[in-house]
Amino acid sequence: MDQKLIQLLQKYNISVKDSKIYDTAFTHISYRNTNNTNYDYEKLEFLGDAILNKIVSKYIYSIKNSLEVGDMSKVRALMTQGKTEALAAKELGLLEFIKFVGDKKTISDSILEDVYEALIGAIYLDSGMAKTTEFVHTTLIDFYNQHPQDITDDYKTKLQELVYKIFKKTPVYKTVKNKNNEYESKLFIKNVVYGEGVDKKIKEAEQKAAKICYETLSKNN
């Protein structure tokens, strides 16, 4: 395990017990396939995504007295969107530790988001919920609160407000998995498709569909 990664985790009071789980958290599928390993970060990412949403939801609930329910949903969407997680990953310097075949300069924000979530999953399994919660608060929630001007791409929330203004309705998302194991999301307004998005994550597929619809409606209204 990379000593710099151990030192990074120690900055957040996390002691590594199982180094293998952290190696897994930073292994991209391209590296797995090229090096014939039997692991990559996707399962840890799945776990980390769920834990992250739980921690963020609990935090937002704790400040509920200052927020309406609709605002609570909006803040959670902004905190857990891909852009926020990718920015947090960059702030932490996680790019350096990713095992990836190819030029690391080509690593997308989507991969950085995935790795951040996989790291959350690894910390949870290795150190428990309390340490994971501390890490998320310091690296994501505090980051969001300190850089709100950089977190602006929540198209689902912006679209919901626009659609209600125009149609007095709310958009409906219908999402299914395709044969490539990706999610295809269609956005309906009054039973008419206004946007489509494809991604390996449901929330990102819906954001892509929302972006298309938002840009179209903004031009015409």
Side-chain angles (χ1 to χ4, degrees):
M1 183 174 172
D2 194 312
Q3 273 301 123
K4 288 185 179 179
L5 178 57
I6 293 174
Q7 292 169 1
L8 174 65
L9 293 170
Q10 286 174 343
K11 282 177 57 179
Y12 297 94
N13 299 313
I14 296 168
S15 300
V16 175
K17 304 176 189 68
D18 181 3
S19 61
K20 175 69 173 178
I21 203 166
Y22 292 100
D23 287 335
T24 301
F26 286 92
T27 300
H28 186 260
I29 191 170
S30 64
Y31 186 93
R32 184 199 73 182
N33 292 340
T34 302
N35 292 272
N36 295 317
T37 62
N38 61 356
Y39 59 86
D40 60 54
Y41 61 59
E42 288 192 345
K43 290 183 179 179
L44 279 174
E45 173 204 341
F46 170 82
L47 176 62
D49 181 48
I51 293 167
L52 189 64
N53 274 283
K54 180 178 180 179
I55 293 170
V56 170
S57 295
K58 187 174 181 181
Y59 163 75
I60 294 170
Y61 182 81
S62 74
I63 60 170
K64 64 184 183 300
N65 289 338
S66 62
L67 295 172
E68 299 295 333
V69 173
D71 291 328
M72 290 170 72
S73 296
K74 182 176 181 179
V75 172
R76 182 174 61 186
L78 287 170
M79 280 189 178
T80 60
Q81 69 172 323
K83 181 175 181 178
T84 312
E85 293 177 23
L87 285 171
K90 289 175 184 176
E91 186 79 4
L92 283 164
L94 299 188
L95 178 65
E96 177 181 354
F97 307 113
I98 300 174
K99 295 180 180 180
F100 177 82
V101 174
D103 186 349
K104 282 195 174 183
K105 292 179 181 177
T106 66
I107 289 179
S108 65
D109 282 357
S110 177
I111 293 175
L112 285 167
E113 172 199 358
D114 293 346
V115 168
Y116 180 80
E117 291 177 350
L119 178 58
I120 297 303
I123 293 170
Y124 171 74
L125 292 176
D126 198 44
S127 294
M129 193 63 173
K131 289 292 184 183
T132 308
T133 300
E134 289 177 15
F135 184 81
V136 170
H137 271 261
T138 305
T139 63
L140 186 77
I141 295 173
D142 289 351
F143 177 84
Y144 169 84
N145 288 332
Q146 292 165 14
H147 302 84
Q149 70 279 5
D150 296 330
I151 316 297
T152 58
D153 288 347
D154 180 21
Y155 282 98
K156 286 184 68 177
T157 300
K158 291 194 289 188
L159 178 66
Q160 184 163 321
E161 294 170 355
L162 182 61
V163 169
Y164 189 80
K165 179 181 177 182
I166 297 170
F167 298 98
K168 297 297 183 282
K169 296 282 185 180
T170 55
V172 175
Y173 298 86
K174 293 184 180 178
T175 307
V176 297
K177 246 186 179 180
N178 63 23
K179 62 182 180 181
N180 297 319
N181 210 32
E182 294 178 317
Y183 290 98
E184 294 182 358
S185 181
K186 291 185 178 181
L187 187 157
F188 292 82
I189 303 172
K190 292 186 174 182
N191 297 318
V192 176
V193 177
Y194 274 79
E196 297 183 39
V198 179
D199 198 274
K200 68 175 187 173
K201 291 188 174 183
I202 293 176
K203 64 183 181 182
E204 295 303 325
E206 291 179 348
Q207 283 282 359
K208 288 177 180 179
K211 181 180 179 181
I212 291 170
C213 182
Y214 181 82
E215 289 176 345
T216 300
L217 292 178
S218 295
K219 289 177 183 176
N220 299 325
N221 292 277

